[in-house]
Amino acid sequence: MTERCDALLPRREMRMSASNHAALAGFLKRLLMRSHLSADEQDAVLSLKSQAFQVAARRDLVFPGQTVEYSCLVGDGLVGRFDQMRDGRRQITAFHIAGDMCDLHSVVAPTTGWGITALSTCLVYHVAHDDLRRAATSHPNLAMAFWRDTTVDASILAKWVANVGRKDAQSRIAHLMCEMGVRMERAGLASHVSYPLPVNQEQIGDAMGLTSVHVNRTLQSLKRSGAVSFQKHHVEIHDWDELVSIADFVPTFMLFDERRKNDAA
Amino acid sequence: MTERCDALLPRREMRMSASNHAALAGFLKRLLMRSHLSADEQDAVLSLKSQAFQVAARRDLVFPGQTVEYSCLVGDGLVGRFDQMRDGRRQITAFHIAGDMCDLHSVVAPTTGWGITALSTCLVYHVAHDDLRRAATSHPNLAMAFWRDTTVDASILAKWVANVGRKDAQSRIAHLMCEMGVRMERAGLASHVSYPLPVNQEQIGDAMGLTSVHVNRTLQSLKRSGAVSFQKHHVEIHDWDELVSIADFVPTFMLFDERRKNDAA
DNA sequence: CGTCTGATTGAGCGTAATCAAAGGTAGTGG
DNA sequence: CCACTACCTTTGATTACGCTCAATCAGACG
């Protein structure tokens, strides 16, 4: 397994010597959810070089507009993608859990339009674009898998636009709880009805286009309804069907269940 | 150039015989904005087979959750990607202009999470996934260009989340006007300060998470401020700097200006 | 000339924002 | 073990942006 240093460094990341099979295995697992990869292609993923960093909560990993030459693989914790307004207010546009390569996009667009921030204490790995590009070029099917992975991301993003644009606070937050539950379970990290979500109410607000005050009241009402409770960074879903109904949650957008008949021949 | 039939068929698309170099040239042009392609790769794009369809406004081309085996290239008109709520209300998540392959994503994820609809009368071309996949597999650098193209889309989507989540109606609509202006000009279709936008106020509302009534009042106030006017499906920007300021428009998110030093070697 | 779609205006209301302050809880250090 | 701090959560009071419902108006079209 991967060595790791649990010391939390407040304002700087710490470089670590890395034999991080576990993290890359998580990433491979994620790819395999939707893409069929040969043993050779899987090896190419597992043998990617990477560098581990222990990151404190609230530390920004990538700034909006920055040009990077690596992608960030989440090994542990919760990472957020965000956009920032002129006045400094932020909108979180995506949550990334362990196994997610949270800015795989930057391989083809190294000057990012968004920023990346650690929402909780995180273990993050940098994987060089050069290596990812080499892997993709020499394994066309792997390139497809990478592309597919970022497409899933885009599909979730589109759903967020719809949620923020057309749903009320209850439904938005319920939807987030459903989405993260399914993702956590699929990633093998927890049950879909009981999982850690290391964010505070302010951050939920930043993601759903609400203020922390309103998130608070909405969480209270969701709890009263008996559908879900969120306490101490942990989501407990008491009535999944009810929550799905409140959220109007239709998981198609996560693009699971592909029969994978469409890989490169 | 491409033959086309201007007859507008109300509820059914019409199949056309196609020698559609012009449309594919538009798509190629779009790819070349951000990717460097060899003559060989460019030929591969231009020689893609496609089938032309004349489509009436409001006609849905792809339904949410549908599995498709082709992508839709916009030849003329405005196409929208959308998500639909349980009660039928829609949220438009993207606008696509001529030259855009509006669901290139479906090449790697044929069961879409979103729908595609014609916002105006449109000329649309179907390009088979098999052909696109073949082109991508035999030209790794072209695969990167495709991937990059969908990444741009995702970046715009992230910006929309931020706009809808954190900005007021004025700023949202101003931002849309800026974005579409830049896109139209880059595509060589119009000036960034004066361009056609064949949608009604209802559709602007569906895109920005507002009602048509509120869009109406907001457009009026934008007009009063002297920044921009929208009449008869046409945007006139009178004060670009003012509009940019109202919108907090920072074009980085469109991922132009890549120095393209990061293409596959 | 009626029909249809889209734009416009008005009145009233509700969700969520803002402003302000009080509790909780965990961590730190004396 | 308590003081002190930092961060979060919770509550209250007030405000406003944008929604809903409803009616009117304008232009395009067959």
Side-chain angles (χ1 to χ4, degrees), chain B residues 76-147:
Chain B
D76 193 38
L78 192 71
V79 167
R81 216 160 59 205
F82 68 93
D83 189 36
Q84 199 159 27
M85 314 291 117
R86 193 165 28 187
D87 61 9
R89 283 180 313 156
R90 285 185 172 190
Q91 169 72 40
I92 295 173
T93 56
F95 285 138
H96 290 289
I97 63 179
D100 290 358
M101 186 79 80
C102 65
D103 54 353
L104 188 53
H105 318 71
S106 63
V107 170
V108 289
T111 300
T112 65
W114 50 54
I116 309 274
T117 191
L119 294 169
S120 69
T121 306
C122 286
L123 179 61
V124 171
Y125 298 85
H126 287 185
V127 183
H129 285 165
D130 280 342
D131 293 339
L132 287 164
R133 223 173 281 125
R134 223 184 325 270
T137 306
S138 53
H139 303 278
N141 191 39
L142 193 52
M144 292 300 227
F146 288 168
W147 180 11

Side-chain angles (χ1 to χ4, degrees), chain A residues 83 86 89-90 108 110-111 133 144 147-148 150 154 159 161-162 166 205-206 210 245 248 255 262, chain B residues 83 86 89-91 108 110-111 133 144 147-148 150 159 161-162 166 205-206 210 245 248 255 258 262:
Chain A
D83 189 35
R86 194 165 27 189
R89 283 181 311 155
R90 286 186 172 188
V108 289
T111 300
R133 224 174 280 126
M144 292 298 227
W147 181 11
R148 183 170 297 117
T150 59
K159 181 60 82 175
V161 172
R166 284 286 177 236
D206 281 346
L210 301 166
S245 166
D248 191 10
L255 310 182
N262 289 285
Chain B
D83 189 36
R86 193 165 28 187
R89 283 180 313 156
R90 285 185 172 190
Q91 169 72 40
V108 289
T111 300
R133 223 173 281 125
M144 292 300 227
W147 180 11
R148 183 171 296 118
T150 58
K159 183 59 81 173
V161 172
R166 284 288 178 235
D206 281 347
L210 301 166
S245 166
D248 191 10
L255 311 181
E258 287 297 325
N262 288 285

